[in-house]
Amino acid sequence: MTRKHYYFFAQWCAHNNISDHRMDELCEFFKEDNRAFKRNIFMNVYRAAKEEYNEYNYNLANRLRA
């Protein structure tokens, strides 16, 4: 897989509430698949996407209440 695939998976996981346990398993799988896989970069992308997604949902909920 390429970097763009890992970015896609990180964002997809953030938007689908994947558990921490599953994220650890996914990182282990990616590391086995590609020795150059960087867990810390993957998790940073995941956390940023998760924060952005949560903020979007919070703002959406506020707009719907108005």
Side-chain angles (χ1 to χ4, degrees):
M1 290 195 317
T2 65
R3 186 176 300 163
K4 72 178 180 180
H5 295 111
Y6 294 125
Y7 275 92
F8 168 80
F9 274 108
Q11 292 173 339
W12 184 88
C13 289
H15 296 177
N16 288 284
N17 295 321
I18 303 301
S19 70
D20 290 342
H21 174 72
R22 293 293 181 218
M23 290 300 293
D24 289 338
E25 289 179 341
L26 190 59
C27 287
E28 289 298 319
F29 173 78
F30 289 156
K31 188 67 176 175
E32 289 173 11
D33 181 58
N34 181 350
R35 290 185 300 166
F37 174 76
K38 303 282 192 251
R39 183 184 199 282
N40 59 337
I41 293 172
F42 180 82
M43 292 303 292
N44 286 341
V45 171
Y46 167 77
R47 287 184 196 104
K50 183 78 167 176
E51 186 175 312
E52 184 179 298
Y53 184 72
N54 288 340
E55 184 177 330
Y56 171 80
N57 284 334
Y58 175 78
N59 291 336
L60 178 62
N62 285 338
R63 286 192 308 264
L64 292 175
R65 283 187 207 124

